[in-house]
Amino acid sequence: MDVVFLDKTRDDAFVAEVERESGQNVALCYQCGNCTAGCPYTFAYDIPVSQIMRLLQAGQKDRLLKCKSIWLCATCESCTTRCPNNIDVAKIMDVLRHQARRHGLAGERNVKVFWDAFLDSVKAHGRVFELGALATYVTRTGRFWTDMDLGPKIFPKGKIGFKPHDIKGKDEVKKIFDRFMEESSK
Amino acid sequence: MSSPRTYAYYPGCSGLGTSMEYDISTRAVCKALGMTLTDIPDWSCCGSTPAHTVDHSFSTALSARNLKIAAKAGLSTVTTPCPSCLTNLKTAGKNVKDAEFKKKVEILLDGQLPELPEVMSVLQALYEDIGADVVAEHVKKPLTGLKVACYYGCIMNRPPEVMEFDDPEHPIAMDKLMEAAGATVIPFPLKVECCGASLGVARKDVVAKLTGKLIDTAAGLGVDALVTACPLCQMNLDLRQDQANAALGTRHRIPVFYYTQLLGLAFDLPEEALGLDKLCVDPHHALETAKERAQNTKVREETA
Ligand code: SF4
Ligand code: SF4
C-alpha cells in the first residue's frame, strides 16, 4: 500500500494552479470511482484516474507530474461524461500534462515524442505530413521496427503521401507556434 | 428538409492521406444528397490531440485560424467528417466565448477574431439537416442482408455539453442512416468505447488490446462488417486488425467501412468514388455474403 505523508509533500499552490488552469473545483470529487470504472486505459495506467483526483486533492505534485497515466490518457471523455459531480476530469488530465511539460517531465517518453513529432510537422507545413511525422518519431526514439508490419498493407493502397502538403499560409501557422513559445516564456 | 445549405468543409489532414476514402466518399455522398461543401480555403491542421496536450489557448488558436477563414468567406456552418477535428473546432468555438481566453488566442493569431461559425460533424448534418427519410429516398441498391455494427468512437458525441449531438452513451444517428440504407444494424454495446486513439505508434500494445476487444465483440455478434465515422478508429480497427489478432490469438477478418462508403454503395455510386479499394481488410467477401443472404431469404419467402 502506498502511504502519502500529507504534511511533507502537500503542495497547495499546485492545487490552486490546476484549478485555475482547468476551471475545475477538485474538492468536488467524492471518490465514487465512476471515472476509473469507465476509463478504457486503467489496465495500462500506473495511477487510476480517480486516484489521480485524490492525489490532486492532497496536493501531490511530484507523484502526479511524473506518472505515466497522464500521457496514456487519450482524452476519450468517458470520465468527464460520467462524473456525477460534473468535473471535467479529462481537462484536468490535460492540464496535468501541460504542467508536466513545463517541468520537462514525460512519464511515457515515446508518447510525448510522437505528439511532438506531429506538431513539428504542422509547424513546418501547416498541415501534418503523416509519413514525415512518423520518420521523425522513428529517428528520435530509435524505434526503427515500429509498425514495419504495416508497410506492405498500406503502401500499395496509395494512401500514404510521400510529399508534405504545404499550405500557402504555413508561415502564419508557424507564427502561432512562435508566438506561443514567446508568450509562455514570459 | 429545408433548402440544402452550403457548408464550409474542413477535411482534416488524414483526409489527404490515411483516410482519403473517408474524404472522397463523404464528398460523393453529400453531392448525391444535394449538399454543397465549400472547402475552407488554405485550411491548416487543427493540432489534433497533440496540441491540446500542450496548451489550450495554443490548440484553440490553431483551430480558430480555420474558423476565422470560414467566417470571412461568409460561411456560417463548418462541417467536418473527423471527430478529432470536430472536437478541436467545437472546443475552440466554446473557449473564445470567454473574453479573457479570447484575448490570449488573439495574441497568438495576431488579429481580432470575428464571430465564429457553428461547427457540426458531417454525420450530424446528414442526420439532422438532411434526415434519414431523405437519405432513404436516395437509396437505389439497398444493403439488404448486410449485418453491421455501428461504432461511433469515443468523442463524436462526448462530452455532451461540447458536442451537443445525439446521445453520449447510446448514439443512434449512424444506426438510423445504416437502416435507411437497408442494412441490418446489430446492437453494439461498445459503440462509444475508445479504440486506443493515437497511441498506435507509441503504445501498440495498448491499442491492440482495446481494438482487439472491439473486433472480438463485433465478431461474437456475428456481424459482416463494422461501420465507423472516425479516421483513427478506422485505422486502428482495419490497418491494425492483425496486430490485434496477434495480441489476442484470434484470426478475425472483419472489414471496417466508413459509414459514407456504405451510404454511397446504397446510392449506387461507383466503387472508385467511394475508395473501397483503400480498405485493408477486403470488404467484397462481406458484401457477397450479404447478397447471398438476401437472396436466400427472398427465395425462402417466395417458396413459403
Ligand atoms: S479521458 Fe483519459 S482519464 Fe478520462 S476516461 Fe478517457 S482515457 Fe481515462
Ligand atoms: S467520477 Fe468524478 S466524483 Fe467520481 S471519482 Fe471520478 S472525479 Fe471523483
Side-chain angles (χ1 to χ4, degrees):
Chain A
M1 193 178 78
D2 282 351
V3 179
V4 176
F5 294 99
L6 288 182
D7 49 338
K8 293 205 186 87
T9 50
R10 182 180 190 98
D11 186 336
D12 285 323
F14 167 67
V15 183
E17 218 177 313
V18 173
E19 288 197 324
R20 188 175 51 79
E21 287 176 22
S22 67
Q24 307 300 307
N25 177 357
V26 304
L28 288 178
C29 171
Y30 54 27
Q31 288 293 295
C32 67
N34 253 3
C35 49
T36 298
C39 176
Y41 294 83
T42 303
F43 76 94
Y45 277 8
D46 50 354
I47 309 176
V49 58
S50 54
Q51 285 180 31
I52 287 187
M53 291 301 294
R54 188 74 189 102
L55 289 166
L56 182 55
Q57 289 174 335
Q60 300 302 303
K61 178 174 179 174
D62 205 49
R63 279 283 297 282
L64 290 176
L65 297 192
K66 282 184 181 157
C67 78
K68 289 179 184 297
S69 306
I70 56 174
W71 297 94
L72 294 173
C73 163
T75 323
C76 78
E77 303 287 356
S78 171
C79 49
T80 297
T81 303
R82 294 177 187 166
C83 173
N85 294 316
N86 290 324
I87 304 171
D88 192 341
V89 188
K91 193 165 185 188
I92 290 178
M93 294 295 270
D94 240 4
V95 166
L96 291 174
R97 287 188 274 237
H98 301 165
Q99 297 219 7
R101 277 180 180 273
R102 292 207 290 268
H103 286 81
L105 298 168
E108 277 277 337
R109 179 177 172 264
N110 287 352
V111 174
K112 178 175 179 291
V113 172
F114 177 69
W115 284 341
D116 289 350
F118 183 105
L119 289 173
D120 284 350
S121 179
V122 178
K123 185 178 176 184
H125 310 293
R127 291 178 192 162
V128 69
F129 168 39
E130 292 172 318
L131 192 61
L134 191 62
T136 309
Y137 171 79
V138 169
T139 314
R140 289 180 190 164
T141 55
R143 290 180 46 133
F144 180 70
W145 299 106
T146 290
D147 286 339
M148 281 290 278
D149 54 323
L150 301 182
K153 288 186 203 298
I154 198 161
F155 284 121
K157 303 278 171 202
K159 296 209 279 186
I160 294 282
F162 290 95
K163 270 190 296 191
H165 298 266
D166 286 43
I167 63 165
K168 281 192 239 111
K170 68 177 184 182
D171 283 344
E172 251 173 66
V173 175
K174 187 178 166 292
K175 278 187 191 143
I176 298 176
F177 280 77
D178 294 342
R179 282 187 213 107
F180 171 66
M181 288 307 285
E182 213 179 289
E183 287 298 310
S184 44
S185 62
K186 272 183 193 168
Chain B
M1 187 180 71
S2 50
S3 66
R5 273 203 256 180
T6 298
Y7 300 84
Y9 182 63
Y10 183 80
C13 299
S14 64
L16 301 169
T18 47
S19 72
M20 53 170 45
E21 67 272 43
Y22 194 17
D23 181 54
I24 59 173
S25 58
T26 298
R27 290 176 192 271
V29 163
C30 289
K31 191 167 166 220
L33 289 167
M35 295 159 76
T36 310
L37 303 181
T38 305
D39 285 41
I40 296 178
D42 211 42
W43 59 271
S44 49
C45 177
C46 69
S48 193
T49 304
H52 71 70
T53 67
V54 170
D55 180 84
H56 291 140
S57 57
F58 170 63
S59 66
T60 297
L62 288 177
S63 284
R65 176 183 179 269
N66 297 294
L67 297 175
K68 190 173 164 179
I69 299 175
K72 274 201 184 139
L75 296 156
S76 59
T77 308
V78 171
T79 192
T80 179
C82 171
S84 177
C85 303
L86 180 73
T87 304
N88 277 330
L89 296 170
K90 281 189 94 97
T91 306
K94 290 243 180 259
N95 282 345
V96 299
K97 296 223 161 83
D98 178 290
E100 216 174 296
F101 192 96
K102 186 173 172 192
K103 254 188 245 150
K104 278 205 241 168
V105 176
E106 289 179 332
I107 291 174
L108 298 184
L109 288 170
D110 195 26
Q112 297 224 314
L113 281 175
E115 181 159 355
L116 298 179
E118 74 161 320
V119 185
M120 57 161 71
S121 62
V122 174
L123 182 64
Q124 182 176 9
L126 289 180
Y127 187 65
E128 290 182 353
D129 292 358
I130 305 292
D133 44 345
V134 173
V135 168
E137 284 166 18
H138 284 74
V139 172
K140 297 200 185 90
K141 274 195 171 172
L143 306 169
T144 319
L146 187 69
K147 291 197 270 181
V148 299
C150 294
Y151 175 56
Y152 295 73
C154 51
I155 50 173
M156 180 65 97
N157 310 91
R158 302 188 308 188
E161 302 76 37
V162 179
M163 306 319 274
E164 296 172 313
F165 168 52
D166 213 342
D167 189 279
E169 302 288 0
H170 304 289
I172 52 158
M174 215 191 321
D175 297 48
K176 294 289 174 207
L177 293 179
M178 284 300 107
E179 281 168 5
T184 306
V185 177
I186 308 290
F188 189 47
L190 303 179
K191 46 167 69 167
V192 297
E193 282 291 314
C194 185
C195 67
S198 66
L199 290 182
V201 175
R203 286 296 302 268
K204 228 191 297 192
D205 57 324
V206 171
V207 172
K209 185 155 176 162
L210 294 175
T211 55
K213 189 169 145 197
L214 291 164
I215 295 165
D216 208 41
T217 305
L221 292 168
V223 304
D224 300 316
L226 271 156
V227 192
T228 58
C230 168
L232 262 177
C233 301
Q234 201 280 342
M235 190 159 81
N236 283 341
L237 292 166
D238 182 33
L239 175 66
R240 295 183 184 279
Q241 193 164 126
D242 281 339
Q243 291 180 347
N245 274 327
L248 256 73
T250 50
R251 301 180 66 174
H252 300 305
R253 286 201 71 69
I254 297 188
V256 187
F257 290 100
Y258 287 106
Y259 75 99
T260 43
Q261 291 180 302
L262 286 181
L263 285 181
L265 281 178
F267 293 176
D268 201 18
L269 302 178
E271 276 198 18
E272 308 81 69
L274 306 170
L276 281 200
D277 60 325
K278 304 289 179 200
L279 301 177
C280 293
V281 176
D282 188 334
H284 291 96
H285 177 68
L287 295 172
E288 286 307 316
T289 310
K291 259 191 214 141
E292 278 168 32
R293 193 180 289 133
Q295 200 61 41
N296 290 343
T297 321
K298 213 169 136 201
V299 172
R300 238 182 290 137
E301 276 167 6
E302 278 167 7
T303 51

